[in-house]
Amino acid sequence: MREKGFRAIGNLAQKLTSGMAKGRDASIARLKVEWSAVVGADLARVTRPDALLSTRGARSSRAGGGKALRLRVSGAAALEVQHRSGQIVERVNAYLGHRLIDEVRLVQGAIAAPPARPKLAKPSIATEREIAGKVAAVEDPDLRAALARLGSRIGTGRRGLLIAGLGALFLADDLKAQSPAKFLDPLPDDHVLGKPDAPNILIDYASFTCPHCANFNAAVMPVLRRDWIETGKMRLVHRHFPSDAIATRASLLAECSGPDKFFDAVDTLFRTQVQWMTAPDPAAELLTVLADLGVSPDAAAACVANDRLLDKVVNDVQSGQTLGVRFTPTVFINEQNYGNPGGIDAIADILRQVGR
């Protein structure tokens, strides 16, 4: 159930992002994490996405070649999966919202059985009534019914999961009541790097699975730290805007490192992004890269189950929604939205114009 909450948070951010990067590493990592949702439980039991390969030739529908999904399949199911390869291509492309692959290439290999899914409790009558009231304004009857079913199922879980699963659907009234201006200054639960009296404020909305965010961390952050933050001229605020379930998990584990090591965790996650995103088990690899920061398996399990940390991630996403964030990274400098301004030279130009 909680993994559904992670995916719901990521889906909210993703629906708001028209310019999100669709790089090879990010795509294969997402397919590995969400494979059952992509192809269905039956195919997910006998297949696993393995890698994206460049293709050329007649089967590629794009000039210069396209991509093939290398799919590991258990031997007994290989023939059936081959017959359904066209269906798999359609499902992958539809799920990701763009044409990622043109074909599937099979390799035989052992497929580990997925963990048993917990039996869901039947929602209470009060929960069903509450959710029905929330979706009553949805005009499309099929969509209204689907949202009611989803809300009722999620509503049987913990409070944090309810926020994660349904916050994206029913925030309109709450957000209208809030002034965007309140989110343009550091908030009490924000992570802030820099001196408290630094006059300039940069707010960065980022997703740990976003390649452009990793580039920002590698190319821009070192100079910002040296020339602006460490000199007392700027405060930097990091806010979570995860684009998928594994990015949500990474956000929770960054929170797990604690306030003193949070920005070290952010830097580590971005520097090792390709390593953990392309690992056979990205969630397990996250623990490997964060081990030196004291994020042990036991601590990670506690943090992933911590509603307070999940609420922090949800609140960041909601504040981004209020401010009109549509892609990551999105940077606000002294209350102005500059989107992804590019390299350090572009940010320096902005600061020369609006700097304090």
Side-chain angles (χ1 to χ4, degrees), residues 247-319:
T248 304
R249 179 178 288 271
S251 291
L252 290 171
L253 294 181
E255 294 287 338
C256 195
S257 64
D260 294 338
K261 296 181 180 179
F262 176 80
F263 282 99
D264 292 334
V266 169
D267 180 59
T268 297
L269 288 168
F270 279 132
R271 283 191 294 102
T272 61
Q273 185 187 79
V274 172
Q275 173 186 337
W276 56 265
M277 283 182 62
T278 58
D281 185 348
E285 191 66 19
L286 282 170
L287 299 185
T288 300
V289 303
L290 292 173
D292 289 343
L293 295 175
V295 182
S296 67
D298 289 343
C303 290
V304 168
N306 188 318
D307 281 348
R308 181 182 61 81
L309 298 185
L310 185 59
D311 286 347
K312 161 61 178 166
V313 178
V314 173
N315 290 340
D316 281 0
V317 172
Q318 292 178 5
S319 71

Side-chain angles (χ1 to χ4, degrees), residues 7 15 27 43 50 58 71 76 110 157 165 184 197 247 283 296-297 304 320 337:
R7 186 156 54 246
K15 288 174 183 177
S27 297
L43 279 172
D50 191 56
L71 201 61
L184 293 172
D197 60 349
S296 67
V304 168
N337 184 346

Side-chain angles (χ1 to χ4, degrees), residues 2 4-10 12-13 16 159-169 171 175 178 183 187 189 205 239-242 248 251-252 255 306-322:
R2 199 168 188 86
K4 291 183 179 180
F6 295 171
R7 186 156 54 246
I9 299 170
L12 166 58
L16 297 171
R159 179 189 57 81
L161 194 54
L162 176 60
I163 296 174
L166 291 182
L169 303 176
L171 285 174
L175 293 175
Q178 300 186 53
F183 299 115
L187 300 172
D189 64 346
Y205 283 89
R239 289 182 186 161
H240 303 285
F241 206 76
T248 304
S251 291
L252 290 171
E255 294 287 338
N306 188 318
D307 281 348
R308 181 182 61 81
L309 298 185
L310 185 59
D311 286 347
K312 161 61 178 166
V313 178
V314 173
N315 290 340
D316 281 0
V317 172
Q318 292 178 5
S319 71
Q321 183 183 29
T322 304

Side-chain angles (χ1 to χ4, degrees), residues 10-34:
N11 286 346
L12 166 58
Q14 186 182 54
K15 288 174 183 177
L16 297 171
T17 56
S18 58
M20 186 67 65
K22 301 181 178 70
R24 176 184 299 187
D25 293 336
S27 297
I28 190 63
R30 185 178 176 199
L31 288 177
K32 289 179 178 180
V33 172
E34 304 179 14

Side-chain angles (χ1 to χ4, degrees), residues 58-276:
R59 284 189 294 178
S60 174
S61 65
R62 288 172 280 184
K67 287 189 178 73
L69 175 63
R70 188 170 69 199
L71 201 61
R72 191 183 313 134
V73 58
S74 60
L79 184 59
E80 178 188 355
V81 173
Q82 184 64 55
H83 284 312
R84 299 178 67 178
S85 60
Q87 181 186 70
I88 293 172
V89 170
E90 292 178 359
R91 288 187 178 183
V92 168
N93 292 335
Y95 189 85
L96 295 178
H98 64 104
R99 189 168 187 82
L100 174 70
I101 63 172
D102 295 291
E103 59 181 290
V104 170
R105 296 182 182 178
L106 303 183
V107 293
Q108 292 194 15
I111 305 297
R117 301 178 69 178
K119 186 176 181 180
L120 300 179
K122 187 179 186 303
S124 67
I125 295 176
T127 296
E128 291 180 338
R129 288 175 178 171
E130 179 183 0
I131 299 302
K134 289 179 178 292
V135 302
V138 178
E139 295 183 0
D140 187 294
D142 293 333
L143 177 59
R144 184 171 62 248
L147 293 180
R149 287 194 300 272
L150 173 64
S152 295
R153 302 303 292 184
I154 295 176
T156 62
R158 300 165 70 182
R159 179 189 57 81
L161 194 54
L162 176 60
I163 296 174
L166 291 182
L169 303 176
F170 310 120
L171 285 174
D173 291 340
D174 291 341
L175 293 175
K176 287 177 182 177
Q178 300 186 53
S179 169
K182 67 174 287 187
F183 299 115
L184 293 172
D185 286 316
L187 300 172
D189 64 346
D190 273 335
H191 294 284
V192 183
L193 186 65
K195 297 181 179 179
D197 60 349
N200 296 289
I201 299 173
L202 186 152
I203 301 174
D204 177 24
Y205 283 89
S207 169
F208 285 115
T209 54
C210 160
H212 292 318
C213 299
N215 291 339
F216 183 91
N217 182 74
V220 177
M221 277 299 296
V223 182
L224 281 181
R225 281 177 177 261
R226 184 193 67 205
D227 295 348
W228 290 88
I229 297 172
E230 293 174 1
T231 58
K233 295 188 291 186
M234 173 182 287
R235 286 172 284 170
L236 182 139
V237 178
H238 176 99
R239 289 182 186 161
H240 303 285
F241 206 76
S243 56
D244 49 46
I246 192 64
T248 304
R249 179 178 288 271
S251 291
L252 290 171
L253 294 181
E255 294 287 338
C256 195
S257 64
D260 294 338
K261 296 181 180 179
F262 176 80
F263 282 99
D264 292 334
V266 169
D267 180 59
T268 297
L269 288 168
F270 279 132
R271 283 191 294 102
T272 61
Q273 185 187 79
V274 172
Q275 173 186 337
W276 56 265

